[in-house]
Amino acid sequence: MDTAPSAQPAPTPPAAGSRRRVATAAALASAVEWYDYFVFGIAAALVLGDLYFPAGSPTAGVLASFATFAVGFLARPLGGIVAGHLGDRRGRKPMLVLALTLMGVATTGIGLLPTYDTIGVAAPILLVLLRVAQGVAVGAQWGGAMLLATEYAPEGKRGVYGSVVQLGVPIGVVTANTVFLVAGAFTTDAAFTAWGWRVPFLAGLLVLGLAWYIHTRVEETPAFREAERALAQREKSEQNSPLRTILRGHLGTVLLAGGSFAVNTATFYILITGVLDYTTRELDMAKGPVLLVSLCVSLTQLVLIPAAAALSDRLGRIRIYALGAAGIALWAVPLFLLIDTGSLLWLAVGTFVASCFLSIMYGPQAALFAELFTPEMRYTGASLGYQIAAVAGGGLAPFVMVLLLEATGTSMAVSGYIIALSVIALVSIKVLADRARAARPKDASQARAQAGSAS
């Protein structure tokens, strides 16, 4: 694992124009993919419970809606496993194109899906299936976009290049919130419930155009081409299966990576979906202003994420990453004390500070996960670590938040949940750092031995 602010030079350095084109394509792929994924989370908090799960109390409808939201996360490791295996064998680009295509089709399908009142129980069943498709797509996408960016990065800038993919998250949130705000502004409440909520989903058709652009204009990464030659020389050997190699020799690293990031993804989804439901349903705050706060806070991440990534290129990934995890733990209680005031101003302050700590983790995370694994198993290993975190943290977080609020009657239970995940993250980060320090003397001694034998 390379946690120092360094990067391995590509065998044949790509031209600067090619690097910019690939970085832009990776950022756009991440942004549109996450936009499609996030519109479901916002719709789940606002309308899907009543439209697709009408039986029972409003709380039961929200729980069913958030459970469907979580199903997408459960499907993400499947996308990561399949795309990771094929991406390490066949290339980063084809898997990214496939993921974008699947996401575009699934999101558009949700926008066209009839409600429970129209087709009965088939409506929630189809909604779950389409959400599963979204989960598979985003699970496949992250590794492809991340590796396109980091494997094209010039020496010493892997963190910055990896952060362009992470920028897709706040861009997706901002765009999704903006589209919902516009749809709400130009429709009545009845019209929004009837058809206005569908408009953000129909934008999924645009993803297909981006998939075609990447397919025709973006080249495969130099690191994969080099790994492909090495794999060809070991054809039919055990290491020719990246998934088998990961499961037999690197599963601990995958689990540590997932444990280190679960608090980030859980807190993020609590902020953009759980808090939206909590503030509008429990605190009687207006939907539009709360969405606007979420949008503005997400905009600040466009600056903070690359700044944190640049720092990680200079100071090391682990150091910056751990700082963000510690900050989330310390801010968990003040965050909900501020939200519980019911004030938009304090909601903005609380979520902004939390977003700062999330950005500190997001910035170096892509490069850190890429550096945990060698190129021939990097897509598989990094994707699995990321998607395990998504399942353990993000997918269940809004659902767990509603359950905790119903069971305890206090938002401090949600703060405790975040703190528990933060402890797991800090322990995982500490073990990863210890492993990195233990590996350095061994690597150095091997290099000296090889130099001695060569002389």
Side-chain angles (χ1 to χ4, degrees), residues 2-6 156-160 306-323 360 364 368 371 433 437 440:
D2 175 13
T3 57
S6 62
K157 293 187 177 180
R158 187 181 287 168
V160 171
L311 278 177
S312 79
D313 282 330
R314 296 172 60 87
L315 303 178
R317 316 280 181 228
I318 287 288
R319 187 175 301 172
I320 303 302
Y321 196 64
L323 176 63
I360 291 172
L368 174 62
E371 291 165 353
R437 282 191 292 269
R440 283 179 194 140

Side-chain angles (χ1 to χ4, degrees), residues 368-384:
L368 174 62
F369 277 31
E371 291 165 353
L372 291 173
F373 307 96
T374 55
E376 63 271 16
M377 58 178 170
R378 184 171 287 158
Y379 202 139
T380 302
S383 292
L384 273 179

Side-chain angles (χ1 to χ4, degrees), residues 69-89:
F69 178 67
V71 164
F73 287 82
L74 296 176
R76 282 171 61 168
L78 175 61
I81 289 170
V82 174
H85 179 77
L86 294 176
D88 283 328
R89 295 285 299 277

Side-chain angles (χ1 to χ4, degrees), residues 12-26 148-149 151-154 161 213 217-222 225:
T12 303
S18 178
R19 281 178 170 145
R20 285 193 296 269
R21 182 170 63 252
V22 170
T24 301
L148 274 183
E151 291 185 349
Y152 262 97
Y161 270 66
Y213 173 83
R217 298 295 303 275
V218 173
E219 297 178 357
E220 191 52 80
T221 71
R225 291 197 298 268

Side-chain angles (χ1 to χ4, degrees), residues 272-304:
I272 69 164
T273 58
V275 168
L276 176 59
D277 168 65
Y278 177 61
T279 53
T280 56
R281 185 167 58 88
E282 298 288 345
L283 302 181
D284 294 323
M285 299 177 71
K287 172 184 64 181
V290 173
L291 282 171
L292 185 60
V293 166
S294 178
L295 186 154
C296 293
V297 168
S298 296
L299 282 172
T300 64
Q301 290 188 309
L302 299 178
V303 176
L304 295 171

